Amino acid sequence: MFELITPVHEKEIFSLINKIGTLSTTEIVEQLAEIINHIHADIPEKKKISYGRYSIVKKVGLFIYPLLEQKKVDVNEFAWEIYRNQKYDTFVRSLAVQLFSIYGFHTGELTPVLSLFEKAAMDEQWEMRECSAGFIRKLVKKYPETMQPWYVKMATSANAMQRRFAIESIRPVADNKWFRKNSDFAFSILELLYKEPEAYPRTSVGNSLSDWMRIDEKKTFEVIKKLASNGDANSYWIAYRACRNFVKKEPLLVMDTLKKDCYKYKDRLYYRNQCT
């Protein structure tokens, strides 16, 4: 059975955690980065498509958190100190966010955790934004009532990256399977951006609806039809994007809905006269 973190890696991590207090934060970060690189290098080539540095950071965070508690390290202080320095290794900084997420999951103290996620959503580093969108999902599942108003706040933020974060983190991926029985949570946030003017979050809305077409085709296509016909250019763009996969199944229905004789997505072209 494939182990992402081997006994050798565990030994490296144990040794490093025991040095907290004697090494500087910079030295800790440098060695954490080396460990993450070691783990990545040891992944068999055939598995590197499935297991990247995001998977490693996620797993390392789960492994390190109880070790920090045993050593009575203030996880919040430790994580903040790492996160706030933009010069540190990107994936070690994202590990700090994972540690905060685990802390919030176990303690229910979400205010400081969500404050960090608000910053991570706007981070200069793309990898940080993507990792954070994944790390917050466990909190949404465990605390949906608390998280729902926070998501409204993020989806209506003046910052486009925060709006994009709100949508990316609730896409119906494997970590968000529970949405399939409670789609109202996701759709209540999505609908706040159905007229999104900025390309960055607008693309996420279209991609998310495309994902939902595979899960709840009837409900999602009703949304797409409304977006395509409401007269708003941004809504239409989202509807068009949302059909990028469904068009392979129902090209004529898509073109009828969008009032087009041709549908183009990347290098794929669908013509009405070739589908009849």
Side-chain angles (χ1 to χ4, degrees):
M1 182 178 176
F2 171 65
E3 292 181 330
L4 188 59
I5 299 180
T6 68
V8 173
H9 305 138
E10 290 180 0
K11 186 177 179 180
E12 287 182 311
I13 295 169
F14 272 123
S15 176
L16 180 58
I17 297 302
N18 285 329
K19 293 175 184 176
I20 291 177
T22 60
L23 294 180
S24 68
T25 303
T26 299
E27 289 172 317
I28 293 290
V29 169
E30 287 174 351
Q31 291 190 35
L32 277 172
E34 288 179 9
I35 290 171
I36 290 171
N37 287 334
H38 289 170
I39 296 172
H40 187 260
D42 290 341
I43 298 173
E45 285 300 321
K46 290 182 179 179
K47 294 196 176 282
K48 282 188 176 177
I49 294 175
S50 301
Y51 296 94
R53 285 182 172 80
Y54 167 77
S55 299
I56 296 168
V57 170
K58 185 177 180 180
K59 194 82 171 179
V60 169
L62 291 168
F63 187 79
I64 285 179
Y65 186 84
L67 300 181
L68 293 173
E69 286 199 317
Q70 289 171 20
K71 200 169 168 55
K72 300 192 183 305
V73 174
D74 185 322
V75 176
N76 287 0
E77 184 179 332
F78 177 74
W80 261 116
E81 190 172 356
I82 293 174
Y83 170 78
R84 62 180 171 232
N85 194 328
Q86 290 276 352
K87 294 181 181 179
Y88 285 156
D89 178 88
T90 304
F91 288 99
V92 179
R93 289 184 66 239
S94 66
L95 175 60
V97 181
Q98 166 70 330
L99 291 172
F100 255 96
S101 178
I102 298 168
Y103 169 83
F105 182 87
H106 289 299
T107 67
E109 297 178 18
L110 299 184
T111 300
V113 175
L114 296 181
S115 177
L116 178 64
F117 273 106
E118 288 175 19
K119 291 178 172 59
M122 302 183 293
D123 200 270
E124 292 178 5
Q125 296 172 329
W126 178 85
E127 296 91 346
M128 169 63 74
R129 301 196 298 272
E130 295 305 296
C131 287
S132 298
F135 295 152
I136 201 171
R137 288 168 182 153
K138 64 174 74 69
L139 298 179
V140 187
K141 182 178 181 179
K142 188 170 184 179
Y143 304 105
E145 293 182 1
T146 302
M147 296 294 291
Q148 203 275 340
W150 183 79
Y151 265 93
V152 171
K153 173 186 173 183
M154 291 289 281
T156 56
S157 167
N159 185 280
M161 289 198 291
Q162 287 188 331
R163 300 197 301 274
R164 193 253 184 187
F165 179 92
I167 301 305
E168 280 299 304
S169 59
I170 60 170
R171 286 178 68 171
V173 294
D175 288 344
N176 284 334
K177 275 188 177 179
W178 69 279
F179 282 151
R180 298 182 184 192
K181 295 182 179 179
N182 185 16
S183 61
D184 288 347
F185 184 104
F187 277 87
S188 70
I189 305 304
L190 277 166
E191 68 183 12
L192 298 174
L193 284 87
Y194 283 160
K195 294 185 178 181
E196 173 58 48
E198 296 284 341
Y200 196 46
R202 187 175 63 226
T203 300
S204 289
V205 178
N207 291 346
S208 188
L209 287 174
S210 178
D211 292 343
W212 275 105
M213 281 296 290
R214 296 191 181 101
I215 299 163
D216 190 337
E217 183 179 301
K218 182 178 179 181
K219 179 176 182 175
T220 309
F221 199 65
E222 285 302 312
V223 171
I224 290 172
K225 287 193 290 185
K226 290 177 182 177
L227 295 180
S229 62
N230 73 5
D232 182 83
N234 293 315
S235 297
Y236 183 89
W237 191 96
I238 289 170
Y240 192 102
R241 177 84 177 188
C243 292
R244 64 192 176 126
N245 290 307
F246 185 60
V247 70
K248 290 182 278 188
K249 178 182 177 182
E250 295 283 358
L252 283 176
L253 178 57
V254 167
M255 285 184 271
D256 285 345
T257 302
L258 297 173
K259 295 180 172 53
K260 290 279 189 180
D261 291 322
C262 172
Y263 183 96
K264 180 180 180 180
Y265 179 71
K266 292 186 177 179
D267 60 347
R268 301 201 307 263
L269 279 170
Y270 299 84
Y271 293 98
R272 181 180 295 277
N273 61 9
Q274 293 177 349
C275 299
T276 55

